[in-house]
């Protein structure tokens, strides 16, 4: 990235998926052990059981293996997650949706580790599997995010545009497209992109703040101030919700103890 570019932008993608985006928020099956205390799977056993020399491909449940990777993601074991997702992709049919989902998740795990070259490679593998599938828009927008972090701004915008072409109803793609347009000084187009993201349900403080910045660059100071105020209110509401959740969690053990 060049001097003057903001590095505090919080993207939607590869670093965690929106709750409404079903493809990548499937809850893994319940584990027999507490995953916060014990690894969801013994990686040495996993290696022994899934090595291609010992197990035929048709004996491996790729979907279950992806669930194991997602379990690793939940406890921030991202290195193990990348290895597990790659195994899932290798055992899946090369051009299948299962392979593509595994590659996209592998890229997301690398992104959590800020391993941008590896993330870019994983997303490109996902797109090589299928450029038009239901997962392709996520692969494109996450690839754009990784490219931006790697300093390839122009390429990032290209893939953000591609994500919107594949799925015009994908709000995260519009959000990232708007950010990249604003970075290039195309603020009017950026505002339109942010509006599309908001219309499609992504009305968050981050989107509103980016829209406010673009409006300010266009000289629309009054409207920019109004949108920034909306962003501040949303952020305060979210902080209050988090505080209430924390207080509720702190009370629960005391209440259970009193009932014994």
């Amino acid at each position: 990235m060049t001097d003057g570019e903001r590095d505090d932008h919080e993207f939607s993608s590869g670093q965690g998926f929106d709750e409404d985006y079903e493809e990548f928020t499937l809850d893994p099956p319940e584990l027999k052990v507490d995953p916060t205390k014990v690894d969801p799977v013994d990686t040495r056993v996993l290696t022994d059981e899934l090595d291609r020399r010992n197990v035929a491909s048709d004996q491996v449940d790729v979907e279950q293996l992806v669930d194991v990777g997602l379990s690793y993601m939940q406890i921030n074991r991202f290195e193990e997650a990348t290895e597990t997702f790659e195994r899932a992709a290798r055992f899946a049919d090369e051009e299948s949706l299962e392979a593509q989902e595994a590659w996209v998740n592998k890229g997301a795990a690398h992104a959590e580790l800020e391993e941008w070259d590896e993330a870019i490679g994983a997303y490109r593998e996902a797109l090589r599997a299928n450029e038009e599938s239901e997962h392709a828009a996520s692969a494109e927008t996450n690839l754009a995010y990784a490219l931006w972090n790697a300093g390839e701004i122009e390429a990032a915008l290209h893939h953000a545009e591609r994500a919107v072409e594949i799925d015009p109803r994908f709000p995260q793609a519009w959000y990232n497209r708007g950010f990249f347009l604003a970075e290039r000084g195309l603020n009017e187009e950026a505002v339109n992109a942010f509006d599309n993201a908001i219309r499609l349900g992504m009305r968050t403080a981050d989107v509103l703040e980016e829209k406010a910045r673009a409006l300010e660059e266009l000289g629309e100071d009054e409207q920019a101030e109004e949108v920034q105020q909306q962003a501040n209110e949303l952020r305060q509401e979210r902080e209050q919700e988090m505080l209430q959740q924390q207080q509720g969690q702190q009370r629960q053990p005391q209440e259970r103890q009193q009932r014994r």
Side-chain angles (χ1 to χ4, degrees):
M1 292 179 287
T2 59
D3 293 340
E5 292 175 353
R6 294 197 305 275
D7 60 0
D8 60 347
H9 175 64
E10 187 171 332
F11 281 87
S12 63
S13 136
Q15 22 333 94
F17 296 94
D18 186 82
E19 292 181 356
D20 295 329
Y21 196 66
E22 296 180 355
E23 290 81 356
F24 299 103
T25 55
L26 297 175
D27 291 332
E30 290 187 3
L31 303 171
K32 294 181 180 180
V33 296
D34 183 353
T36 64
K37 299 178 180 177
V38 182
D39 284 356
V41 66
D42 186 326
T43 54
R44 293 169 298 179
V45 174
L46 183 67
T47 301
D48 292 339
E49 290 182 350
L50 297 183
D51 195 293
R52 283 188 180 277
R53 293 172 297 179
N54 300 326
V55 181
S57 296
D58 60 2
Q59 294 177 339
V60 176
D61 189 327
V62 174
E63 185 176 348
Q64 246 183 14
L65 195 52
V66 169
D67 287 339
V68 170
L70 292 173
S71 296
Y72 274 131
M73 294 283 282
Q74 288 180 342
I75 59 174
N76 299 330
R77 296 292 295 273
F78 301 119
E79 290 184 3
E80 289 86 346
T82 63
E83 296 169 0
T84 306
F85 289 135
E86 181 161 359
R87 281 189 173 275
R90 299 297 184 190
F91 277 102
D93 292 337
E94 187 174 353
E95 297 182 359
S96 67
L97 288 179
E98 287 180 327
Q100 186 173 53
E101 182 179 4
W103 284 119
V104 171
N105 281 305
K106 182 176 187 289
H110 281 300
E112 291 286 353
L113 295 167
E114 298 186 357
E115 297 174 347
W116 305 117
D117 288 342
E118 291 84 351
I120 289 168
Y123 294 136
R124 291 195 188 282
E125 286 290 339
L127 292 169
R128 188 172 66 83
N130 193 320
E131 294 184 348
E132 302 292 339
S133 77
E134 60 189 278
H135 300 318
S138 286
E140 291 283 6
T141 197
N142 290 340
L143 175 56
Y145 163 72
L147 286 166
W148 184 82
N149 277 281
E152 301 183 36
I153 309 301
E154 187 172 346
L157 178 57
H158 169 75
H159 287 282
E161 297 278 5
R162 178 65 180 148
V164 169
E165 291 173 5
I166 294 172
D167 186 358
R169 300 194 62 78
F170 186 24
Q172 289 86 350
W174 283 109
Y175 171 45
N176 284 352
R177 179 179 184 269
F179 177 81
F180 295 131
L181 287 169
E183 287 292 286
R184 298 187 63 181
L186 303 172
N187 291 291
E188 187 171 353
E189 294 180 52
V191 170
N192 291 335
F194 293 135
D195 283 340
N196 283 335
I198 294 168
R199 277 195 294 269
L200 290 168
M202 195 179 180
R203 190 175 184 275
T204 66
D206 291 328
V207 178
L208 291 171
E209 285 177 346
E210 294 296 344
K211 179 182 176 182
R213 291 190 184 102
L215 286 167
E216 189 174 358
E217 291 294 329
L218 290 170
E220 301 288 346
D221 294 340
E222 185 174 345
Q223 189 177 357
E225 185 176 351
E226 180 181 341
V227 174
Q228 182 61 54
Q229 180 61 33
Q230 294 173 6
N232 294 340
E233 291 173 358
L234 274 179
R235 198 172 293 283
Q236 290 173 1
E237 290 175 7
R238 178 57 180 159
E239 290 174 354
Q240 186 63 31
E241 289 174 1
M242 292 177 65
L243 180 61
Q244 290 175 351
Q245 289 174 358
Q246 291 173 355
Q247 291 174 343
Q249 291 171 354
Q250 291 171 355
R251 285 196 300 268
Q252 285 176 0
Q254 297 174 1
E255 292 170 357
R256 285 199 295 268
Q257 190 173 21
Q258 290 169 357
R259 285 197 294 269
R260 291 194 184 113

